[in-house]
Amino acid sequence: MTAGFNALSKDSSYEEVSSVLEVFYRTSQTGLSLGEIIFPIILHDSYVSILINGVEKDISIENFKRILDSCVGVNADDVSPIALPWGCFIFSKKSDRMQLNCYYPERRMDVTFEDNGKKTLHKFNIPFPNVIIYFDLRLIEDGSWKVINTLYFSTNKPVTAFSSNCFVKEKDTSNGVWGLPVCNMYGDGRMCYGKNIMPIRFTDNLRGLDYYYQVISNSPFNGDLGISSVTGVSTSLKWFEELSKLNSFPYERMKINT
């Protein structure tokens, strides 16, 4: 049988490869029945070449996986469902990592600002911009998913303007993706949660990630970090006062190249 394989070369046809494979499996102790079909494949980076009934075909790796699944009795319905948070417009899951982008449309929002010096709370109803949140989760030892990074962005674009195969996880001010125009934000998009206890461990039910948006209105802001993404802002308190007098969010005030 070795001679059969030795006779093959990179220029051998599919028919020759198929013939050698069939002889090998028919004569080896594989338990293969005479009624089963044998065909060679070539696995490329992005597709699979196969020979069926003497005809060479190129198919996607996903379709080839479906063929293999059907051979071993795996049904697509057996895949465990994942409950996604509201507004999720792009999602990726690998064996040990999940990534998501969620989009929350512009709306009026009640926010609270705490004046640390005077120890007073100021409440405002303001127009809030479209928000995009990026989540990065990793699989940990107990089988749950842990949030390891959460980044916040604002945008003047509708959700349909964003790619379906590329995550929004950094600012792109020239293309309308800025940091969040409130205080308590770090320059890279992370939020200072203060005393808030954020949910960080999840099963395949990720709906609890919605709290990362809800915390914007549920927790008071303060002036510790200031507001770096907006032009012409003297203090955080005055910025909220200015916003409360507007009917829509002033995207033209967002800084470029910051």
Side-chain angles (χ1 to χ4, degrees), residues 102-154:
C102 295
Y103 183 98
Y104 303 88
E106 178 178 347
R107 67 182 181 91
R108 293 202 71 87
M109 179 184 293
D110 292 324
V111 298
T112 305
F113 179 80
E114 182 176 8
D115 189 331
N116 292 338
K118 298 180 180 180
K119 301 295 181 181
T120 56
L121 289 177
H122 303 267
K123 296 183 178 181
F124 302 97
N125 180 263
I126 63 173
F128 210 76
N130 303 312
V131 174
I132 294 176
I133 305 181
Y134 168 75
F135 297 101
D136 190 358
L137 298 88
R138 302 295 172 92
L139 186 65
I140 58 177
E141 291 81 3
D142 63 2
S144 63
W145 295 90
K146 182 178 180 180
V147 177
I148 64 167
N149 200 13
T150 306
L151 303 174
Y152 292 78
F153 306 97
S154 61

Side-chain angles (χ1 to χ4, degrees), residues 48-61:
V48 176
S49 296
I50 66 175
L51 184 74
I52 299 179
N53 297 327
V55 179
E56 180 182 343
K57 295 182 63 176
D58 293 335
I59 63 174
S60 69
I61 293 178

Side-chain angles (χ1 to χ4, degrees), residues 26-246:
R26 296 287 188 245
T27 57
S28 63
Q29 300 298 316
T30 61
L32 199 68
S33 69
L34 293 178
E36 293 182 89
I37 299 173
I38 298 172
F39 59 87
I41 71 161
I42 298 178
L43 180 61
H44 303 273
D45 289 339
S46 57
Y47 66 96
V48 176
S49 296
I50 66 175
L51 184 74
I52 299 179
N53 297 327
V55 179
E56 180 182 343
K57 295 182 63 176
D58 293 335
I59 63 174
S60 69
I61 293 178
E62 181 180 7
N63 284 338
F64 182 67
K65 180 180 181 298
R66 290 196 184 102
I67 294 173
L68 294 180
D69 287 345
S70 67
C71 291
V72 297
V74 175
N75 192 302
D77 294 336
D78 296 334
V79 178
S80 298
I82 297 176
L84 298 175
W86 192 92
C88 180
F89 67 93
I90 182 171
F91 169 78
S92 173
K93 180 181 179 182
K94 297 181 179 179
S95 59
D96 61 349
R97 185 181 188 185
M98 286 197 287
Q99 297 179 83
L100 305 86
N101 267 147
C102 295
Y103 183 98
Y104 303 88
E106 178 178 347
R107 67 182 181 91
R108 293 202 71 87
M109 179 184 293
D110 292 324
V111 298
T112 305
F113 179 80
E114 182 176 8
D115 189 331
N116 292 338
K118 298 180 180 180
K119 301 295 181 181
T120 56
L121 289 177
H122 303 267
K123 296 183 178 181
F124 302 97
N125 180 263
I126 63 173
F128 210 76
N130 303 312
V131 174
I132 294 176
I133 305 181
Y134 168 75
F135 297 101
D136 190 358
L137 298 88
R138 302 295 172 92
L139 186 65
I140 58 177
E141 291 81 3
D142 63 2
S144 63
W145 295 90
K146 182 178 180 180
V147 177
I148 64 167
N149 200 13
T150 306
L151 303 174
Y152 292 78
F153 306 97
S154 61
T155 181
N156 60 353
K157 295 183 176 182
V159 65
T160 53
F162 294 94
S163 170
S164 61
N165 55 16
C166 183
F167 288 98
V168 178
K169 51 185 176 180
E170 62 183 3
K171 292 185 288 186
D172 186 359
T173 59
S174 61
N175 287 313
V177 178
W178 304 281
L180 213 58
V182 291
C183 36
N184 295 65
M185 300 300 302
Y186 295 103
D188 60 358
R190 291 177 297 119
M191 179 182 288
C192 176
Y193 299 115
K195 297 180 181 179
N196 288 286
I197 300 176
M198 306 301 291
I200 61 171
R201 293 193 178 189
F202 295 87
T203 61
D204 282 345
N205 183 352
L206 303 179
R207 290 175 181 164
L209 290 174
D210 286 332
Y211 186 73
Y212 283 81
Y213 178 72
Q214 296 166 6
V215 73
I216 296 173
S217 60
N218 289 349
S219 181
F221 291 103
N222 59 57
D224 290 350
L225 295 178
I227 299 174
S228 61
S229 58
V230 183
T231 61
V233 174
S234 56
T235 67
S236 300
L237 179 59
K238 289 184 177 180
W239 170 238
F240 286 124
E241 290 175 345
E242 181 181 349
L243 282 177
S244 67
K245 300 174 183 178
L246 301 178

